[in-house]
Amino acid sequence: MKVPTLVNPVIGAGIAVTFKLFRLTFRIRVRNDQRERLVQRTGKQYALAILHAHQLAALSLSAPRVGAMVSRSRDGDLLMPLLRGNGCVPIRGSSGVGEKGGATALTKMIRHVKDGNPSVIAVDGPRGPRGVAQKGIAMVAMKADVPIIPVVLIPRRRWIMSKAWDRMQILLPFTLVDALFGDPIYPTPGESIDDLRAKVAESLRIMEHRMDSEEAAICDRQCRKKSGNRRDKRESSSADANLQPAENVQPDKIGKSAGGHDSLVSGVEPIGVANAADSVLLDREAA
């Protein structure tokens, strides 16, 4: 059953108030957070890269005026009061260039960062596959000339929405949120958008395996299964095309139809994560 449009602001406000109360009970433990030092040293802001499943956890330590993508959907309407209540600047659209409002949202996000504000993007949103970074995070970093900082945020008391594509994690009261920041990833001259987003995805994958190995393994299996299903469908379509009656196929075209296969991005090495000895540890009550 669809929720009436007029009810959305009421539900959204209720979600925002509930999260605000829950947040008073959270404890945050941060490792390798270089954001403040980076801004002071370079005079530039940054683009935080998170997984879609970690969006609520990311709100537990959001910076003031951080730009946050939110989809132009009814679910996005529900999130608007929550984002504003935690100091974020909602930017409607998605990080997928081909998605609804994607190009406009990216333009606004780039302008927001150029104006001296940080940003946060759920790199695999709005519809997945989980852990696969879309082009948006790379485009913001390249156009605004800022580094990407990957971060995974793991609530130790949580409810996981196992039926959702991203296995969204809902924080429970009195949880400890473990936040591990990766080293900044800088766009390099001549680097392609695909190469940069692959680096970000690999960095997040490595950090999630380090901080939340069981959940990361489940998600890896799901991604492999979905990838195999997509490959089987493409191969089936290719086989069907090759079984056409001979009179309907041009002689010089026979046997040249290419079957679909998944391929890995070459030349991308795993991104290192700072050692615990080099980390900045913080255990505090969230305000």
Side-chain angles (χ1 to χ4, degrees), residues 13-281:
I15 293 172
V17 171
T18 302
F19 186 85
K20 198 81 170 179
L21 293 174
F22 280 17
R23 185 174 174 174
L24 295 174
T25 72
F26 297 162
R27 290 182 300 126
I28 317 294
R29 182 165 57 196
V30 179
R31 295 177 173 90
N32 195 39
D33 185 359
Q34 304 179 41
R35 290 177 295 175
E36 185 176 350
R37 188 165 65 243
L38 185 148
V39 172
Q40 290 176 348
R41 188 178 72 247
T42 67
K44 296 181 180 180
Q45 288 295 337
Y46 51 85
L48 275 185
I50 65 171
L51 294 172
H52 200 270
H54 297 168
Q55 287 184 101
L56 292 179
L59 287 175
S60 64
L61 72 161
S62 59
R65 288 200 54 78
V66 61
M69 291 269 192
V70 56
S71 64
R72 292 184 177 182
S73 63
R74 293 191 175 186
D75 289 344
D77 293 340
L78 294 175
L79 290 175
M80 293 290 283
L82 178 60
L83 293 171
R84 290 193 177 112
N86 286 274
C88 299
V89 178
I91 296 175
R92 302 304 298 266
S94 76
S95 61
V97 178
E99 300 290 339
K100 183 177 180 181
T104 301
L106 283 171
T107 300
K108 290 180 179 179
M109 180 67 88
I110 292 166
R111 186 180 305 120
H112 183 76
V113 176
K114 283 185 173 181
D115 287 343
N117 303 292
S119 66
V120 59
I121 295 179
V123 298
D124 50 352
R127 292 180 293 186
R130 190 190 191 281
V132 177
Q134 305 298 320
K135 294 182 178 181
I137 185 70
M139 293 179 68
V140 169
M142 288 179 167
K143 297 292 186 181
D145 190 26
V146 295
I148 298 168
I149 302 179
V151 56
V152 295
L153 306 107
I154 313 299
R156 297 307 176 184
R157 296 186 69 246
R158 62 191 176 183
W159 173 50
I160 296 177
M161 299 175 65
S162 59
K163 300 298 183 182
W165 69 264
D166 61 347
R167 294 178 59 85
M168 174 67 76
Q169 300 180 17
I170 309 298
L171 289 74
L172 299 179
F174 303 100
T175 188
L176 168 67
V177 179
D178 264 324
L180 174 63
F181 288 76
D183 292 332
I185 300 173
Y186 293 87
T188 58
E191 186 174 31
S192 71
I193 289 175
D194 287 340
D195 284 348
L196 182 55
R197 65 171 174 161
K199 286 182 181 179
V200 174
E202 181 67 2
S203 180
L204 288 170
R205 188 190 69 81
I206 291 172
M207 290 193 296
E208 187 179 28
H209 272 277
R210 174 178 170 181
M211 297 293 289
D212 197 9
S213 58
E214 183 176 343
E215 182 67 11
I218 292 173
C219 295
D220 279 354
R221 288 196 297 270
Q222 288 184 349
C223 286
R224 284 196 297 268
K225 182 178 179 181
K226 290 178 181 179
S227 177
N229 290 340
R230 290 195 301 271
R231 182 175 62 250
D232 291 343
K233 287 181 181 180
R234 290 198 295 269
E235 289 176 347
S236 176
S237 298
S238 177
D240 290 343
N242 287 334
L243 288 175
Q244 296 180 67
E247 60 271 17
N248 293 333
V249 182
Q250 297 295 327
D252 60 344
K253 299 293 184 181
I254 295 177
K256 294 186 178 179
S257 178
H261 297 279
D262 285 349
S263 60
L264 298 176
V265 178
S266 61
V268 177
E269 296 296 329
I271 305 301
V273 179
N275 294 326
D278 300 325
S279 301
V280 179
L281 298 178

